[in-house]
């Protein structure tokens, strides 16, 4: 892609998200979401491949549907209350429609069906943008409007997302689909606590972005998109394979890695809110995710490819990719748990 065109598209991505962050008017927020969607469409379709075009079409139709529902909900609220202000969502029907549309935008269950299929059709770099940056603007709107929504709706969305995100990844062989179901599960953890402690939602989002960035950049470095090709990674780059195993366990929320921190604090907050049953279900749902992450770790570290001698030897060629961002994201994904006391001071 032409670097000037790429610069325009990335700048538009930043502009759309910033507009949504700064808006208190539903039309401005909707405009930011639309700029965001239209900016990533060319990035998704830049590889002229039928699978990429199919994924782009699915993504566009899904996002357009969600945007139409958001506009309809904002109009309904303005018609009843006389204001377009996002903080004044007094109509329960409008606020429910907004949350459902935003859940469709970020891939919360049961509106998650597009997410694995779209992510599977993209290259790893665009998939990273879709899994991280594209979640920011809808989640900002969810945090602003969550206080006006029925707690039952948000709890149902959160529980369903964690369960389906864990269950859906069990029988997958494509790494991008596994990361898509991981994204669905992590979104569930963020939504379940958004009414009780929005700062914990932001903390979970921050750690999720770090860990997912480390996972996508690692897969790009070892050029692997299927479980069957992970066995070659140990011969290509042994230190990177070791850190990849730890990153996957961090995504699963295993102590003493960074991913344990948001899950621990969210479970603690749910218990404080007299919701021990929901906290127990969330903890058990995390075990589903742990299982398929351990499956990846097994393929990566305990399996050697049976045809190493007869195949090409890609580990002898030096990589041309820059590794500073990869190093930074891996370090943050593994070593931020000791700052938990400082995080607790900021969130209380």
């Amino acid at each position: 892609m032409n670097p000037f065109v790429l610069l325009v598209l990335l700048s538009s991505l930043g502009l759309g998200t910033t507009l949504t962050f700064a808006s208190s008017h539903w039309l401005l927020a909707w405009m930011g979401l639309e700029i965001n969607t239209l900016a990533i469409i060319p990035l998704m379709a830049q590889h002229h491949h039928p699978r990429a075009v199919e994924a782009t079409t699915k993504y566009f139709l899904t996002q357009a549907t969600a945007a139409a529902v958001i506009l309809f909900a904002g109009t309904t609220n303005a018609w009843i209350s006389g204001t377009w202000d996002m903080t004044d969502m007094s109509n329960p029907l409008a606020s429910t429609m907004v949350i459902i549309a935003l859940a469709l935008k970020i891939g919360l269950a049961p509106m998650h069906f597009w997410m694995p299929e779209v992510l599977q059709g993209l290259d790893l770099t665009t998939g990273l943008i879709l899994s991280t940056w594209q979640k920011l603007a809808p989640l900002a709107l969810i945090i602003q409007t969550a206080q006006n929504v029925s707690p039952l709706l948000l709890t149902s969305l959160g529980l369903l997302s964690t369960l389906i995100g864990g269950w859906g990844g069990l029988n997958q062989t494509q790494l991008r689909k596994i990361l898509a179901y991981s994204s669905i599960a992590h979104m569930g953890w963020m939504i379940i606590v958004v009414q009780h402690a929005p700062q914990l939602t932001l903390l979970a989002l921050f750690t999720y972005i770090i860990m997912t960035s480390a996972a996508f950049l690692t897969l790009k470095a070892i050029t692997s998109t299927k479980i069957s090709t992970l066995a070659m990674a140990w011969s290509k780059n042994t230190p990177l394979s070791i850190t990849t195993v730890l990153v996957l366990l961090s995504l699963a929320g295993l102590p003493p890695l960074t991913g344990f921190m948001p899950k621990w604090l969210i479970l603690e907050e749910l218990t404080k809110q007299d919701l021990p049953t929901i906290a127990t279900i969330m903890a058990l749902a995390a075990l589903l995710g742990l299982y398929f992450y351990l499956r990846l770790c097994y393929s990566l570290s305990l399996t050697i490819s049976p045809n190493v001698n007869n195949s090409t030897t890609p580990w002898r060629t030096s990589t041309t990719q820059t590794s500073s961002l990869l190093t930074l994201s891996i370090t943050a994904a593994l070593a931020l748990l000791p700052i938990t006391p400082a995080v607790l001071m900021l969130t209380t």
Side-chain angles (χ1 to χ4, degrees):
M1 181 177 284
N2 188 301
F4 296 108
V5 175
L6 182 63
L7 178 63
V8 170
L9 294 176
L10 293 179
S11 301
S12 299
L13 273 177
L15 173 65
T17 305
T18 307
L19 267 179
T20 306
F21 282 172
S23 60
S24 59
H25 192 285
W26 273 115
L27 280 180
L28 192 60
W30 172 81
M31 189 187 304
L33 293 173
E34 286 301 285
I35 292 173
N36 229 344
T37 301
L38 294 176
I40 200 174
I41 291 294
L43 294 174
M44 297 171 71
Q46 62 179 319
H47 302 289
H48 302 292
H49 188 274
R51 193 69 185 85
V53 174
E54 178 190 347
T56 306
T57 306
K58 289 178 179 176
Y59 181 77
F60 175 74
L61 292 175
T62 304
Q63 299 298 305
T65 303
V69 175
I70 290 172
L71 195 59
F72 178 65
T75 308
T76 304
N77 187 67
W79 186 14
I80 294 173
S81 65
T83 177
W84 285 89
D85 197 343
M86 291 166 52
T87 58
D88 186 18
M89 293 292 289
S90 55
N91 184 23
L93 176 62
S95 57
T96 302
M97 281 194 297
V98 163
I99 291 296
I100 290 175
L102 293 172
L104 179 62
K105 271 194 168 291
I106 62 175
L108 279 174
M111 286 78 70
H112 68 285
F113 295 101
W114 63 271
M115 182 79 181
E117 297 298 324
V118 168
L119 204 58
Q120 176 60 26
L122 305 179
D123 65 293
L124 290 170
T125 305
T126 314
L128 172 60
I129 297 174
L130 182 67
S131 300
T132 55
W133 186 264
Q134 292 298 95
K135 310 282 188 186
L136 296 178
L139 269 173
L141 296 180
I142 288 176
I143 290 173
Q144 291 184 62
T145 56
Q147 302 304 323
N148 301 314
V149 185
S150 166
L152 179 62
L153 175 62
L154 292 174
T155 304
S156 302
L157 289 174
L159 284 176
L160 270 176
S161 297
T162 48
L163 288 169
I164 291 177
W167 223 290
L170 292 180
N171 63 341
Q172 300 298 328
T173 58
Q174 299 290 332
L175 297 178
R176 284 166 293 185
K177 279 193 175 182
I178 289 176
L179 288 172
Y181 281 109
S182 168
S183 173
I184 294 166
H186 279 88
M187 291 297 118
W189 281 90
M190 296 175 208
I191 293 301
I192 199 80
V193 79
V194 68
Q195 272 191 332
H196 310 298
Q199 65 274 17
L200 290 184
T201 299
L202 293 176
L203 173 65
L205 176 63
F206 176 67
T207 53
Y208 162 75
I209 288 175
I210 290 175
M211 296 183 296
T212 302
S213 300
F216 270 99
L217 292 172
T218 303
L219 294 179
K220 186 182 177 186
I222 62 178
T223 60
S224 183
T225 57
K226 295 184 291 186
I227 292 182
S228 58
T229 59
L230 282 179
M232 299 288 289
W234 194 269
S235 302
K236 290 181 185 179
N237 194 329
T238 304
L240 186 60
S241 298
I242 296 172
T243 56
T244 304
V245 170
L246 295 175
V247 166
L248 293 172
L249 293 177
S250 181
L251 268 168
L254 203 67
L257 303 170
T258 302
F260 177 63
M261 177 168 55
K263 287 184 169 64
W264 172 26
L265 296 179
I266 288 171
L267 291 176
E268 183 185 18
E269 182 64 30
L270 290 174
T271 308
K272 285 181 182 177
Q273 299 292 333
D274 292 329
L275 299 170
T277 306
I278 292 174
T280 305
I281 296 173
M282 297 289 287
L284 293 175
L287 295 178
L288 294 170
L290 177 62
Y291 177 82
F292 65 73
Y293 286 123
L294 285 174
R295 184 172 164 227
L296 296 182
C297 295
Y298 175 82
S299 301
L300 191 62
S301 59
L302 298 176
T303 306
I304 299 298
S305 181
N307 58 349
V308 170
N309 293 329
N310 299 326
S311 64
T312 57
T313 54
W315 53 88
R316 292 180 183 172
T317 60
S318 59
T319 179
T320 58
Q321 298 181 31
T322 56
S323 58
S324 55
L325 184 59
L326 175 60
T327 306
L328 184 63
S329 60
I330 286 177
T331 305
L334 301 184
L336 291 186
L337 188 64
I339 69 167
T340 304
V343 171
L344 283 173
M345 291 294 293
L346 292 174
T347 57
T348 54

